[in-house]
């Protein structure tokens, strides 16, 4: 097991990464210091892994809520379901909410934990690659609205993250690929050596080589934890983690959250952001091509899905959370390993890349 720390002072917490961690009853039981807990999971994850988590918490008063899977379920109605379950449990301030699943379950359960009695203890048990490398770390919790992704949410850090890499064995290949998009993001925005390492280990990652995947998760979490410690509430540097996201979120929203997976949309978004940067003369065209080539090697989409108009996507981009006073702020880059926040990108240039 590798353990990293997110050094947030009194709210510092560990990220444990390793094989078989959900079978470590002692580790799981230690996450619930109070008398009761709510486990939130989804219908794809629960049949594989819920029983082990419940077995570890036998001494506690626990309830489990299994939600239907999918991004379309990350909404206010499901948030209300989690809150109702906490009420049924008679949850008091010493309750622990455990999120067992991917980023959808983590964001939703985390938001409920942030709101219940103005904030209770919350532990992330990520079971997708995307959740292990990104969404379980850093305390962003939210639900989507028809108007936009993650528009209602809170910053609420977990008390611990336990990433059992064995759970990736049951993850559908398409979901593994989607998680790799966020791994590529870390190389693209801040670590050209890691990007090269990903190129060299692409086949091993796709083959789910345990050591290589664990290394990719650890490098990603280390990078994310560093950014979160320096800029927890996204006043500056943390915005860079949204490379590709303004474009990607626009695609997801425009598709009604039922089209591309989040990681797939981010892959397309990163290629668009890179292409825009090259178009504006800020980044080498060759780097943008290298980014696209690695994403293609991971089996990820790199073009806007058919049927989405440039004008509609641009209108969605305006509602991005990084916009200030109606002005769009985009994460562009200077080439591999270097991202930057850019304001006032001419609308015509954005529309040119979207067309
Ligand atoms: P997800 O939670 O929908 O999981 C993907 C699919 O895999 C689901 O169908 C799920 O049921 C299934 N699944 C999960 N683990 C499995 C396993 N081990 N075996 C078999 N099936 C499994 O999606 P995701 O890609 O994990 O997360 C995407 C979400 O994360 C989006 O809503 C995105 O906005 C959010 N996100 C949040 C942050 C953050 O900082 N909070 C960062 C990145 C992404
Ligand atoms: N996924 C972007 C962030 O956590 O800030």
């Amino acid at each position: 097991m590798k353990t990293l720390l997110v050094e947030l002072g009194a709210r510092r917490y560990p990220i444990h990464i390793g094989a078989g961690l959900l079978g470590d009853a002692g580790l799981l039981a230690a996450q619930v210091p109070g008398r009761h807990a709510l486990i939130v999971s989804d219908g794809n994850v629960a049949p594989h892994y819920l029983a082990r988590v419940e077995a570890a918490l036998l001494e506690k008063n626990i309830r489990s809520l299994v939600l239907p899977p999918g991004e379309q379920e990350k909404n206010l109605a499901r948030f209300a379901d989690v809150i109702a379950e906490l009420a049924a449990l008679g949850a008091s301030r010493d309750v622990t909410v455990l999120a067992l699943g991917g980023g959808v379950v983590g964001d939703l359960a985390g938001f409920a934990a942030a709101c219940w009695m103005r904030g209770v203890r919350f532990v992330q048990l990520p079971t997708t690659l995307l959740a292990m490398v990104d969404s379980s770390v850093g305390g962003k919790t939210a639900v989507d609205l028809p108007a936009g992704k993650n528009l209602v949410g809170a910053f609420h850090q977990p008390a611990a993250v336990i990433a059992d890499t064995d759970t990736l064995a049951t993850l559908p290949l398409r979901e593994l690929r989607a998680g790799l998009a966020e791994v590529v993001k870390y190389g693209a925005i801040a670590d050209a050596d890691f990007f090269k390492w990903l190129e060299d280990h692409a086949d091993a990652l796709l083959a789910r080589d345990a050591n290589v995947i664990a290394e990719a998760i650890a490098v990603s979490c280390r990078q994310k934890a560093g950014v979160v410690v320096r800029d927890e509430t996204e006043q500056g540097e943390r915005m860079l983690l949204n490379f590709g996201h303004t474009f990607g979120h626009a695609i997801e929203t425009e598709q009604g959250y039922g089209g591309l997976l989040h990681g797939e949309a981010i892959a397309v978004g990163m290629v668009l952001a890179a292409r825009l940067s090259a178009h504006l003369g800020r980044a080498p065209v060759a780097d943008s091509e290298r980014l696209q080539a690695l994403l293609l090697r991971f089996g990820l989409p790199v073009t806007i899905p058919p049927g989405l108009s440039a004008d509609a996507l641009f209108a969605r981009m305006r509602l991005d959370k990084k916009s200030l006073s109606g002005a769009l702020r985009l994460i562009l880059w200077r080439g591999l390993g270097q991202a930057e926040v850019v304001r006032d990108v001419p609308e015509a240039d954005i529309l040119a890349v979207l067309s």
Side-chain angles (χ1 to χ4, degrees):
M1 173 170 91
K2 285 185 194 185
T3 299
L4 312 174
L5 281 177
V6 185
E7 292 285 0
L8 284 169
R11 292 171 300 123
R12 80 209 283 260
Y13 58 91
I15 305 169
H16 301 296
I17 303 161
L21 296 186
L22 290 184
D24 185 338
L27 178 67
L28 290 184
Q31 305 309 320
V32 181
R35 71 192 156 85
H36 57 340
L38 174 68
I39 307 167
V40 182
S41 190
D42 77 24
N44 291 333
V45 176
H48 295 292
Y49 307 111
L50 180 58
R52 315 183 186 174
V53 181
E54 287 178 339
L57 302 177
L58 266 184
E59 308 285 303
K60 305 284 178 178
N61 176 17
I62 52 169
R63 281 179 84 96
S64 300
L65 174 64
V66 178
L67 297 168
E71 183 73 34
Q72 280 156 321
E73 306 298 332
K74 203 177 101 173
N75 58 35
L76 284 169
R78 293 299 174 207
F79 166 80
D81 290 345
V82 182
I83 293 294
E85 209 60 29
L86 282 162
L89 179 65
S92 50
R93 284 227 157 96
D94 63 340
V95 73
T96 301
V97 176
L98 298 116
L100 174 68
V104 165
V105 162
D107 281 12
L108 184 59
F111 184 43
C115 295
W116 183 256
M117 296 189 171
R118 302 200 181 91
V120 294
R121 184 180 167 85
F122 151 57
V123 172
Q124 291 272 19
L125 307 175
T127 63
T128 64
L129 180 62
L130 186 138
M132 291 180 193
V133 300
D134 192 353
S135 62
S136 67
V137 176
K140 278 189 182 176
T141 72
V143 295
D144 303 331
L145 297 185
K149 279 268 300 176
N150 300 331
L151 284 182
V152 183
F155 286 100
H156 185 57
Q157 298 292 340
V161 179
I162 299 176
D164 180 347
T165 51
D166 280 352
T167 60
L168 299 177
T170 55
L171 190 67
L173 181 59
R174 186 178 169 197
E175 300 290 349
L176 184 84
R177 296 178 190 279
L180 287 168
E182 300 277 15
V183 177
V184 169
K185 177 186 78 180
Y186 294 112
I189 62 172
D191 189 344
D193 291 342
F194 182 50
F195 189 91
K196 171 80 174 60
W197 183 89
L198 292 171
E199 289 176 325
D200 293 343
H201 293 83
D203 293 337
L205 286 161
L206 285 171
R208 306 180 201 223
D209 178 297
N211 290 331
V212 174
I213 290 222
E215 177 66 11
I217 296 169
V219 173
S220 302
C221 286
R222 201 171 298 123
Q223 197 188 117
K224 177 145 190 189
V227 174
V228 167
V229 166
R230 292 189 293 274
D231 179 21
E232 184 180 0
T233 57
E234 199 170 301
Q235 306 305 306
E237 184 185 355
R238 189 166 179 173
M239 275 189 262
L240 302 180
L241 295 177
N242 291 315
F243 182 55
H245 284 55
T246 307
F247 289 105
H249 284 172
I251 294 170
E252 286 185 86
T253 308
E254 199 50 26
Q255 290 190 313
Y257 309 117
L260 292 188
L261 300 175
H262 175 70
E264 293 173 336
I266 297 316
V268 177
M270 288 193 290
V271 169
L272 295 174
R275 214 175 278 156
L276 177 58
S277 308
H279 170 82
L280 294 170
R282 305 178 91 93
V285 175
D287 282 13
S288 152
E289 285 169 357
R290 225 171 122 192
L291 173 65
Q292 178 163 324
L294 182 58
L295 294 168
L296 281 171
R297 224 170 132 200
F298 284 143
L300 286 158
V302 294
T303 53
I304 297 171
L308 300 183
S309 84
D311 286 334
L313 289 172
F314 187 68
R316 294 288 184 191
M317 289 172 72
R318 284 205 166 284
L319 203 59
D320 185 79
K321 292 190 292 311
K322 289 182 295 304
S323 296
L324 270 188
S325 314
L328 204 57
R329 289 188 293 181
L330 284 176
I331 313 307
L332 298 183
W333 72 334
R334 292 201 167 277
L336 284 175
Q338 298 174 67
E340 58 185 351
V341 183
V342 180
R343 293 160 197 253
D344 302 324
V345 178
E347 186 174 326
D349 292 310
I350 299 175
L351 283 168
V353 166
L354 287 173
S355 298

